[in-house]
Amino acid sequence: MHNAKKPAKNDEYFMKENIEEILNKKWKPLLENYKTIENGNYPGIYLLAFTDKNLDGQKVEPNDIFYVGMSNARKGVKSRVKQFLNGIEKNGSHSAGMRFFKENSNGTAFSDCNHCEKFYIVSSTFKCDVDKRTRTPNDLKIMGDICRLEYYLLAHIKEVTNAEPKLNKK
């Protein structure tokens, strides 16, 4: 990509600001909190940790991030996280959840395993209309920024930890 256009400075600022915002959030246990994700019906980014450390209420540290995900779906981040949970329980709906089911739970539902580790979540959502019939050009830009933010977060994590989150492999 020799001729790739560099993002505008305000784009870089937007990404940096949003990365700082999500990394300053505090982890919550996933299973107890996924139904009540703040503004979870909007698109956005979510981070998952999977650890035996108690991260409840702790600030996000890049080394603790197990997965970076996003959603531009009509039902938002909450529905995408629910698909992840379906993946770790039934091997369906979410590629990273299905990968976890196979590789971390050896083909057994998460709830039937004796994992010492626990899942934690933080998320950041963006108010916009994703409906093709009613969304505006600005809504589409927000959706694009969400996609870019996922990759900027992955890049930041790799820069800081020298690796991408374990579950973000394809």
Side-chain angles (χ1 to χ4, degrees):
M1 296 207 328
H2 298 285
N3 297 323
K5 182 182 153 215
K6 287 189 175 183
K9 286 197 187 286
N10 61 348
D11 288 348
E12 290 288 339
Y13 177 78
F14 173 83
M15 292 298 148
K16 185 177 180 186
E17 186 179 70
N18 279 282
I19 288 169
E20 286 177 20
E21 180 185 316
I22 199 163
L23 293 179
N24 280 313
K25 291 188 177 237
K26 301 207 184 316
W27 293 111
K28 293 180 181 179
L30 172 64
L31 297 177
E32 296 92 323
N33 291 284
Y34 78 93
K35 291 179 182 174
T36 58
I37 293 172
E38 186 177 352
N39 295 316
N41 292 328
Y42 288 116
I45 299 288
Y46 61 99
L47 308 178
L48 299 176
F50 183 65
T51 181
D52 58 359
K53 296 188 288 186
N54 180 2
L55 295 182
D56 191 7
Q58 301 297 309
K59 189 177 141 219
V60 173
E61 294 294 334
N63 282 317
D64 290 326
I65 299 169
F66 186 63
Y67 181 70
V68 175
M70 58 81 59
S71 175
N72 269 327
R74 200 177 59 229
K75 293 184 181 176
V77 168
K78 190 175 6 178
S79 73
R80 190 67 179 142
V81 171
K82 193 171 178 185
Q83 289 174 338
F84 176 81
L85 293 171
N86 186 49
I88 66 173
E89 284 296 322
K90 301 176 186 169
N91 194 31
S93 303
H94 192 288
S95 60
M98 294 179 344
R99 196 165 35 258
F100 183 91
F101 182 88
K102 292 173 189 162
E103 296 175 10
N104 295 78
S105 295
N106 298 316
T108 303
F110 180 76
S111 58
D112 291 336
C113 292
N114 293 323
H115 290 289
C116 298
E117 302 90 349
K118 187 174 184 175
F119 278 107
Y120 295 88
I121 188 170
V122 297
S123 63
S124 185
T125 59
F126 300 84
K127 187 175 183 179
C128 74
D129 181 0
V130 299
D131 188 313
K132 287 184 179 185
R133 298 166 294 169
T134 55
R135 63 189 180 198
T136 66
N138 193 57
D139 291 325
L140 289 164
K141 288 176 185 177
I142 292 169
M143 292 167 68
D145 284 341
I146 291 167
C147 294
R148 288 181 57 232
L149 181 56
E150 178 186 28
Y151 283 95
Y152 270 69
L153 264 164
L154 288 167
H156 175 80
I157 293 162
K158 189 161 191 170
E159 201 170 60
V160 172
T161 68
N162 243 3
E164 292 181 40
K166 289 180 180 79
L167 206 54
N168 279 98
K169 63 182 182 177
K170 294 208 176 199

